[in-house]
Each structure stands twice: as C-alpha cells, then as structure tokens.
Amino acid sequence: MIGRVVLSGAALLLACGVAMADPIEGNWKTESGATAQIAPCGGSYCITLKSGKHAGKKIGTFQAAGGSKYTGKITDPANDKTYSGKGTLSGNSLKMGGCVLGGLICRNQTWSRL
C-alpha cells in the first residue's frame, strides 16, 4: 500500500515537471532546415544544433524576459561570432535575432516548432 502511494506521488511530480516546462523548450526547425534544441541549462536556456552541417554545436544562451520574450547571446555557427540575441515566441513560431553595434545591424530568422 505504501509503495503504491510513493509510486503515485512520484508519477504526479514527474507529470507536474513536464507540465511546467517553459514554452521555448523543445525542438525547432531553423530557416536552413536544421533542427535546434532549446533546453534548460543553469538557470538559462541553451540552444544546440541537433542536425545539419553544425550538429552538436551550442549556438546560444537565452534567459526569459517576460511576455514570451527572451534575451541573451546567439552565435553564428558558420563563423563562430557571438551577438546580442533576442527571441519572441508566438504560438509555434520563434523569431530569433542577433545584433551588433548596439542594435544598429541585425539579422533575424523565424524558427518553427517541431
């Protein structure tokens, strides 16, 4: 009887942990067609390419900024340059951007949730 209660409690805690995942977490299709994974890491969210030419490369770290917005650093995997980054989540789309010179020059992409 006690074993069932403990097992039920563990299952409930596991289900609550999954339900409380941040909306940005998961797998995303980039504009180039590669798959990127966004997962929690040390109080932030790490972005790692899972497929494509640069598979396995960590390309960014974001923190939640409220209102479906995220800020942090994003790295161009082709040249390893790191930029100030931002992301805005809207349904199953994530608009990502990286800027230099205080936001004077920016590049944006829209990713789709897989």
Side-chain angles (χ1 to χ4, degrees):
M1 179 70 163
I2 291 176
R4 285 186 188 174
V5 171
V6 170
L7 187 57
S8 295
L12 181 62
L13 287 174
L14 181 61
C16 288
V18 170
M20 295 173 63
D22 194 277
I24 198 171
E25 291 179 42
N27 293 317
W28 297 86
K29 182 177 182 180
T30 69
E31 284 189 356
S32 70
T35 299
Q37 180 184 49
I38 300 177
C41 65
S44 299
Y45 299 97
C46 290
I47 306 166
T48 305
L49 292 174
K50 293 296 182 181
S51 70
K53 183 178 178 181
H54 302 286
K57 195 174 237 186
K58 180 180 166 189
I59 62 165
T61 306
F62 277 3
Q63 297 81 34
S68 297
K69 296 187 184 298
Y70 299 83
T71 60
K73 300 287 182 188
I74 193 84
T75 300
D76 182 340
N79 62 19
D80 286 327
K81 290 187 179 181
T82 301
Y83 305 95
S84 295
K86 61 182 178 179
T88 303
L89 187 62
S90 178
N92 287 324
S93 294
L94 178 62
K95 184 175 180 181
M96 305 278 288
C99 299
V100 295
L101 299 174
L104 190 59
I105 301 171
C106 299
R107 281 192 355 197
N108 296 304
Q109 287 192 6
T110 301
W111 294 2
S112 302
R113 186 181 300 279
L114 293 176

